[in-house]
Amino acid sequence: QVQLVQSGAEVKKPGASVKVSCKASGYTFATYYIDWVRQAPGQGLEWMGVIYPLGDTTSYAQKFQGRLTLTRDTSTSTVYMELNSLRSEDTAVYFCARRSGSGYYYFDYWGQGTLVTVSS
Amino acid sequence: DIQMTQSPSSLSASIGDRVTITCRASQGISRYLNWYQQKPGKAPKFLIFDASSLQSGVPSRFSGSGTGTDFTLTISSLQPEDFATYYCQQSYNSPYTFGPGTKVDVK
């Protein structure tokens, strides 16, 4: 069965970086996009960016350009999300999600979420 | 970016009620509209794509409709497990923006 398993919670100081992993299993890793979505406490869902493992291509929301880096390791079927220059507003749960569909795209499987807390 | 709005932001309902949630896009998105359900402390669960196509395993009491800018999610007879927050998402253009959510709670 398809599973996305994320790394554990992180606590970081302002200005630091965080790297969250998302390990995929149960499907052909390279041929599905992986998106990242975050959710601040009590807030809605915010799309951050996407990576296509096969081509190692990425696309980022303008808001995160220059601060967000998505990478992948095909040997371990793992995608990494690194966010730099953290500030308190980056405190959120970060989700990875598999993008599926042909034409009509949707996020059919999600990781369990990783809480990142930014606090001095 | 395409802006998504939802109404109402919250609603209270009873078991067996028919519930309708509206989602509006800031520009036409054809039928590139998805719906998700999220319970507290959990990841979103994918329900509907292509505005009205149910994901496998989703109960038939859930239905979606609409095209262009206006969409609805309907739960025909609310069940205890349906109390949650529902989000729409457009997949017409990147970034694939979400609506702000509609919380369905117990009346």
Side-chain angles (χ1 to χ4, degrees), chain A residues 33-65:
Chain A
Y33 292 84
I34 293 288
D35 290 77
W36 287 84
V37 175
R38 77 177 185 179
Q39 186 170 39
Q43 302 302 307
L45 302 168
E46 180 177 31
W47 183 82
M48 300 178 67
V50 60
I51 185 167
Y52 185 51
L54 183 62
D56 197 21
T57 53
T58 56
S59 178
Y60 304 120
Q62 190 164 8
K63 175 178 180 176
F64 299 102
Q65 289 279 359

Side-chain angles (χ1 to χ4, degrees), chain B residues 11-47:
Chain B
L11 66 91
S12 297
S14 301
I15 302 301
D17 282 355
R18 181 181 182 87
V19 169
T20 298
I21 298 167
T22 297
C23 174
R24 177 164 289 173
S26 61
Q27 66 181 73
I29 59 170
S30 184
R31 295 175 56 83
Y32 291 82
L33 194 283
N34 306 319
W35 288 98
Y36 300 86
Q37 174 194 68
Q38 188 181 32
K39 296 181 179 179
K42 300 293 187 182
K45 175 187 174 183
F46 171 53
L47 297 178

Side-chain angles (χ1 to χ4, degrees), chain B residues 69-87:
Chain B
T69 59
D70 295 315
F71 302 86
T72 59
L73 172 69
T74 299
I75 308 172
S76 60
S77 177
L78 195 68
Q79 298 302 300
E81 60 269 31
D82 300 337
F83 292 105
T85 299
Y86 293 84
Y87 294 93

Side-chain angles (χ1 to χ4, degrees), chain A residues 28 59 88 101 103 113:
Chain A
T28 304
S59 178
S88 58

Side-chain angles (χ1 to χ4, degrees), chain A residues 4 22 24 27-36 50-59 70-80 97-99:
Chain A
L4 299 174
C22 171
Y27 72 97
T28 304
F29 170 72
T31 58
Y32 285 81
Y33 292 84
I34 293 288
D35 290 77
W36 287 84
V50 60
I51 185 167
Y52 185 51
L54 183 62
D56 197 21
T57 53
T58 56
S59 178
L70 301 180
T71 56
R72 93 297 191 236
D73 181 345
T74 54
S75 68
T76 61
S77 299
T78 302
V79 170
Y80 298 92
R98 189 183 80 163
R99 181 188 296 195

